[in-house]
Amino acid sequence: MSTYTIVGGGIVGASIGYHLVKAGHTVTLYDRADSGQATAASAGIIAPWISQKRNKDWYRLVTAGAKYYPEFVKKIETETGVSTGYKQEGVLSLFKDDTVLEKGFKRIHSKKENAPEMGEVYKVSREDVKKMHPHLTDLYPGVYVEGGGQIEGASLLKALKAGFLHHGGRWINEDFNSSKTEGLLIYASGAWAVEQGYAPKIRHQRSEVFHFEVDEAEKVTDTPVVMALGPIYLVELGANKYAIGTTHTETESFSTEPSRENYDYLRGLAQRYFPGSNIRDISMMVGLKPFARDYMPYIGYAEENVFIVNGLGSTGLTASPVLGREIVKFLNGEETELDFGDYSYI
């Protein structure tokens, strides 16, 4: 067995660490717990088949992630007793009219042949949208995908850390310097990769999410994730509680102070999708999401003893568990389901 040092205790670093120690390796993970970790402001939507992105390498990664989730969650929750908050209530993708709905249905349904984990896929009338999600507007029809799910990022990270420690990993909450390296060094440092200086260049976006409560007498739970018009989503956080997002602003700043402009924008959208309801603020969440060239993650060696995993952006929660599994296979010299040559482009 081998020795590894991981820098970065976000979802991907924790997942790699968990899968490594579970495979019998010796692992030390360093994490500074920086404010703005992308996990904190992620809705955790597991429904890659809805996306209109055409990058095949990206799609293979995220669909592998979605397929692995039920098995992975069952194992880690059994091992640790920690809930990840994973739910499969499906995903409801809204469309502005019936013509666009037909096109969207054909596009999404066509993916089912190669992804049976999607489950049932069917069109939903405006009236039935209201039945599925009683507080939601009935202005738009939708397509429902049964296999869609959601995960609570903070809860998943807690479970991964518990699993990592359970299998003998060392988690150190302090800054890392190269004199502390033992074995292969794995950088999974997200937006803070700028401090290491390795290629590819990692940039980041501020992502803001508005958490709110709908003040209604009827308490609604177990609603599907809603992919609204444009790059907007609605995720249930509990009875009558939701998150709506997200904004993306490229920046060099590491500030996590919410902006008034984005608050007004997201609160206005919340009122649009829950018309007639009294919206009560809960909080604004800000995360710093890393991305690399062409918005594709980079996974590969930077030099002989340095391995980089970064640039996952908004797909980190979907892809990180399966990446942990596959990277361990790769480092062990075993056959992998993912071809890491697709993600090692430097």
Side-chain angles (χ1 to χ4, degrees), residues 41-43 45 207 209 225-228 231-235 243-246 289:
S42 178
I45 299 166
S207 174
V209 181
V225 171
V226 177
M227 304 304 293
I232 300 298
Y233 59 73
L234 278 159
V235 176
I244 189 167
T246 181
K289 296 188 176 182

Side-chain angles (χ1 to χ4, degrees), residues 196-226:
Q196 285 102 53
Y198 288 106
K201 181 180 179 180
I202 300 296
R203 308 195 301 279
H204 65 272
Q205 297 173 331
R206 274 173 54 93
S207 174
E208 297 190 52
V209 181
F210 175 51
H211 291 207
F212 64 96
E213 184 173 8
V214 175
D215 186 11
E216 296 281 358
E218 181 183 4
K219 298 298 182 184
V220 173
T221 58
D222 302 327
T223 57
V225 171
V226 177

